[in-house]
Amino acid sequence: SLSDEQAALLVQTGRPIVLMFDGDEAGDRGMDEARRRLEQDAFVRVVRIGQASQPDEYTVAELADCLGFIK
C-alpha cells in the first residue's frame, strides 16, 4: 500500500514515479490504487512483475530488464 504521506513525498519530488509492487493479487490491487492516486499529480509508470514475485528478490540485471530504461 501507499500512505498519504508517502504519496505526497513522491509527488513533491517533481520526478516521474515508477511503481513496482509484489506480483500477487494484493500487489496488483495496491499498485492500481497507488497509480490512480498519483497519476493526478505526476507521471506514473507501472511495472508488473511475475506472479508471486517480489521486487526485492530481483537481481540488478533482472530489474534492468523489467525497467527497460536502466541499462
Side-chain angles (χ1 to χ4, degrees):
S1 67
L2 180 72
S3 73
D4 291 340
E5 182 178 0
Q6 290 169 322
L9 288 170
L10 287 169
V11 169
Q12 286 174 6
T13 68
R15 300 182 73 185
I17 299 167
V18 178
L19 299 175
M20 181 186 284
F21 283 38
D22 289 355
D24 56 16
E25 190 175 324
D28 285 343
R29 281 193 313 270
M31 188 158 48
D32 288 341
E33 179 185 331
R35 178 192 45 80
R36 282 192 297 275
R37 291 172 55 201
L38 293 167
E39 71 185 356
Q40 298 170 21
D41 300 307
F43 174 82
V44 178
R45 179 176 176 199
V46 170
V47 177
R48 298 204 186 269
I49 61 175
Q51 184 68 14
S53 295
Q54 296 183 351
D56 64 341
E57 296 174 346
Y58 277 45
T59 66
V60 171
E62 290 169 328
L63 287 171
D65 286 341
C66 287
L67 297 174
F69 59 88
I70 299 175
K71 297 273 178 176

